[in-house]
Amino acid sequence: MLTKIFSATTIGVHAHLVEVEVDLSFGLINFFIVGLPDVAIKESKQRVLTALKNSGFRTPEKKITVNLAPANLKKEGTLFDLPIALGILQASKHVEISQTFLQETIIIGELSLDGTIKPIQGALAIVCDAQKLGKKRVILPKENVTEASVIDKVDVIGVSSLVELLNYIQGNTSIPTSKVDFTNFIAAQKDSMLDFADVKGQEYAKRALQVAAAGRHNILFAGPPGSGKTMLAKRLLSIMPDMSFDETIETTKVYSISGKLGQHSLIAQRPFRSPHHSISMAGLIGGGSYPKPGEVSLSHNGILFLDELTEFKRDVLEALRQPLESRIADIARVQQAIQYPASFLLVAALNPCPCGYLGDKTKECICSQQQIQRYKEKLSGPLIDRIDIKVSVQAVTYQDATNRQLSKETSSEQLRTGVQQALAAQEKRFGTKDKTNSMMTAQEVERFCVLTLEAEQLMQKAFTRLNLSMRSYHKTLKVARTVADIQGSEKIDTAHIKEAIIYKS
């Protein structure tokens, strides 16, 4: 007898429908799975048969053929265990299931040997696309219920065992659909953040971070060891706006597909990723035989912090150029090309020279000019050109370190006020919260970056003297537009241009 169960798999952050066709026929007792399965799926026959036996069902002594359609789509993972087991039970007439129910339902889950159902990766992505795939409900492991229940257009049914699922299907037990109040859930998940008030001095760097947060401008810190570059970067999240519902779902989908949700059912705060400088290109951009998201995608809607920037491999850093420009990580393989979202704010830090003390006021640099030149050449011009703001951070003096009143004027709360004002101006300008000044096209720069006469004359001099490229010219105007937005100015004045030019040097 032939039966058909609907399941789904993920490619990138999108779900694709998979028809699990199960056929029982007379012949040599065997179990075949076809349809481009990976090793984990091929091993599911042992898990499924053992789970059926330990759940009290007699495994059919027939030839079992399972086809995962479409056959030209590569499948991976363990989420097909549950639909395969259900298909075998339906085909062997151990259970009768309404065809209407099967047509409306996506079933996913990994089976343990005792018949319990384990959580899977990518559950949120599948539930998000279930309605597009023409399905009304999704049956999935109970551990995945919270992350999936924020989607209110699809019924989410969480089950903990194969027996519980069969009782639900046959009407012997009732399982209510799960719904989560997003606002209350996010509020409960929030952690206390670090505050800029803890950082003594560094007023210039704090101001630069405020501009970076207000316009989503990439920023680079250069300064001696111990000057506070990492401390400043870690506090940037405290002045960034809370994530919207859509941003939370997008970010959680990436973590769900990567299997990195852990104890968090949803990513409630903007991610802060700080990979080690020994990371590979696949680790940073994404990759693998079945491509998984890299750090640039795990930083989506958050911050990617690259400390000791010059210690990263040159080819790894060069791979950043494309996602920095397009905000998408493209992973190309022979049989398929996958895209993951990668809209992140890059915060990088480096020492100004090999010894770290070039330009320091308290300690003399011991590097030769050749060493300094070779050190700087580790970073390419096109990569540096994609960083809008560059800040020199000096070591904190004893007077700053012992001044208890110094940081009161620059707390995170006060810096965030300017950020919120600038974001409100940008939302009014672009008609959406998803676009900021750093994302403006060349046409939008011409339209929205209106300079006063004095500011235009200053910009003309800077363009010639600094030998700016068109990309650098536009990025300078974008930063100046953000500075003006923080101050509530409609036009860009000379003070805004001066500050943007200082950040560019």
Side-chain angles (χ1 to χ4, degrees):
M1 181 180 175
L2 174 67
T3 188
K4 184 186 294 185
I5 308 291
F6 286 99
S7 189
T9 189
T10 56
I11 298 179
V13 293
H14 301 292
H16 293 258
L17 201 64
V18 175
E19 298 178 12
V20 181
E21 299 174 325
V22 181
D23 178 73
L24 302 184
S25 58
F26 293 104
L28 187 65
I29 299 174
N30 214 328
F31 197 140
F32 300 98
I33 300 180
V34 297
L36 285 183
D38 71 344
V39 175
I41 297 174
K42 290 178 180 178
E43 292 177 346
S44 67
K45 51 189 175 184
Q46 282 82 20
R47 292 193 299 272
V48 169
L49 292 178
T50 306
L52 289 174
K53 177 182 66 110
N54 291 330
S55 297
F57 298 101
R58 182 179 177 182
T59 56
E61 297 178 353
K62 292 182 179 180
K63 176 184 174 182
I64 304 174
T65 304
V66 176
N67 178 43
L68 305 177
N72 63 343
L73 183 69
K74 294 179 73 174
K75 294 95 181 172
E76 62 168 326
T78 58
L79 71 170
F80 298 111
D81 288 4
L82 193 56
I84 290 173
L86 194 60
I88 292 174
L89 292 174
Q90 167 86 337
S92 59
K93 298 184 178 179
H94 279 95
V95 61
E96 290 293 333
I97 309 175
S98 165
Q99 287 302 311
T100 302
F101 179 87
L102 292 179
Q103 286 289 333
E104 297 174 343
T105 308
I106 290 176
I107 301 174
I108 50 178
E110 176 187 344
L111 277 173
S112 182
L113 297 183
D114 61 357
T116 57
I117 301 174
K118 293 185 175 181
I120 59 163
Q121 298 177 9
L124 179 59
I126 292 172
V127 174
C128 282
D129 290 344
Q131 190 178 41
K132 295 180 183 177
L133 298 174
K135 305 304 175 185
K136 295 174 59 176
R137 72 182 65 84
V138 178
I139 296 177
L140 42 63
K142 188 165 286 186
E143 285 84 351
N144 293 116
V145 163
T146 304
E147 66 174 280
S149 295
V150 294
I151 308 300
D152 56 5
K153 296 179 180 179
V154 178
D155 292 338
V156 176
I157 308 296
V159 291
S160 57
S161 68
L162 179 60
V163 173
E164 183 183 8
L165 171 60
L166 294 176
N167 287 331
Y168 168 73
I169 291 174
Q170 293 175 322
N172 297 329
T173 185
S174 175
I175 302 177
T177 57
S178 300
K179 295 298 175 187
V180 171
D181 187 312
F182 176 77
T183 304
N184 293 337
F185 182 85
I186 294 300
Q189 296 294 315
K190 283 187 176 181
D191 299 323
S192 59
M193 289 189 178
L194 301 172
D195 198 297
F196 275 108
D198 301 328
V199 181
K200 296 290 185 179
Q202 305 297 7
E203 304 303 318
Y204 174 50
K206 292 177 185 178
R207 167 65 173 179
L209 284 171
Q210 183 187 38
V211 175
R216 292 289 295 276
H217 300 288
N218 300 319
I219 184 170
L220 170 66
F221 287 126
S227 57
K229 301 185 294 293
T230 302
M231 177 182 282
L232 287 163
K234 288 182 176 180
R235 283 158 174 77
L236 179 55
L237 283 177
S238 66
I239 62 173
M240 293 182 73
D242 294 336
M243 285 206 294
S244 65
F245 176 81
D246 290 340
E247 287 178 325
T248 300
I249 297 302
E250 289 173 1
T251 307
T252 305
K253 282 166 68 174
V254 175
Y255 277 74
S256 178
I257 290 166
S258 305
K260 296 184 181 295
L261 274 180
Q263 297 179 345
H264 301 283
S265 299
L266 289 172
I267 304 300
Q269 294 179 342
R270 296 186 182 277
F272 183 94
R273 304 292 297 185
S274 180
H276 191 261
H277 58 74
S278 61
I279 192 171
S280 65
M281 188 183 299
L284 186 65
I285 307 300
S289 55
Y290 289 88
K292 292 294 185 183
E295 290 292 333
V296 295
S297 296
L298 294 172
S299 307
H300 182 55
N301 291 321
I303 294 172
L304 177 63
F305 177 51
L306 301 183
D307 200 6
E308 304 295 344
L309 186 66
T310 50
E311 299 301 321
F312 285 80
K313 297 177 183 176
R314 187 181 176 93
D315 61 333
V316 173
L317 291 180
E318 291 304 301
L320 273 176
R321 287 159 59 176
Q322 183 264 331
L324 279 174
E325 203 70 26
S326 66
R327 302 184 184 275
I328 293 173
D330 286 302
I331 306 172
R333 294 294 180 266
V334 174
Q335 294 185 342
Q336 61 181 344
I338 293 178
Q339 291 185 335
Y340 287 109
S343 180
F344 58 89
L345 175 58
L346 175 65
V347 181
L350 51 77
N351 296 328
C353 66
C355 77
Y357 292 100
L358 179 65
D360 187 59
K361 298 178 180 179
T362 59
K363 193 169 183 178
E364 185 178 355
C365 172
I366 60 173
C367 303
S368 66
Q369 287 297 324
Q370 289 182 334
Q371 288 176 316
I372 295 172
Q373 186 63 28
R374 284 197 301 267
Y375 183 79
K376 291 182 177 179
E377 288 175 352
K378 291 181 179 181
L379 302 177
S380 70
L383 176 62
I384 293 298
D385 211 26
R386 285 169 167 80
I387 299 178
D388 302 352
I389 299 174
K390 305 173 185 70
V391 179
S392 177
V393 182
Q394 294 294 327
V396 178
T397 64
Y398 177 79
Q399 288 76 12
D400 289 344
T402 54
N403 189 343
R404 296 183 179 180
Q405 303 298 320
L406 187 61
S407 61
K408 282 190 174 182
E409 296 181 357
T410 52
S411 67
S412 292
E413 183 178 356
Q414 291 171 322
L415 290 173
R416 185 167 175 154
T417 301
V419 172
Q420 290 173 333
Q421 180 172 316
L423 290 172
Q426 292 167 75
E427 182 182 357
K428 181 180 179 181
R429 179 179 303 129
F430 303 119
T432 176
K433 291 183 177 180
D434 298 329
K435 190 166 186 175
T436 55
N437 289 333
S438 65
M439 305 176 191
M440 283 193 289
T441 63
Q443 292 79 8
E444 289 172 330
V445 170
E446 296 294 330
R447 178 183 174 188
F448 296 120
C449 295
V450 180
L451 281 68
T452 62
L453 179 61
E454 295 81 3
E456 190 159 354
Q457 292 172 346
L458 177 61
M459 190 69 241
Q460 184 178 1
K461 292 179 182 178
F463 186 90
T464 305
R465 292 182 182 179
L466 298 178
N467 193 25
L468 298 179
S469 66
M470 282 305 297
R471 178 188 285 120
S472 296
Y473 169 67
H474 282 157
K475 285 188 178 293
T476 302
L477 289 179
K478 292 176 185 178
V479 173
R481 178 68 272 170
T482 300
V483 175
D485 287 341
I486 292 174
Q487 296 182 356
S489 174
E490 284 290 331
K491 287 189 175 183
I492 298 174
D493 207 345
T494 52
H496 310 140
I497 289 292
K498 286 179 181 178
E499 186 171 350
I501 291 173
I502 291 172
Y503 293 144
K504 197 65 189 171
S505 61

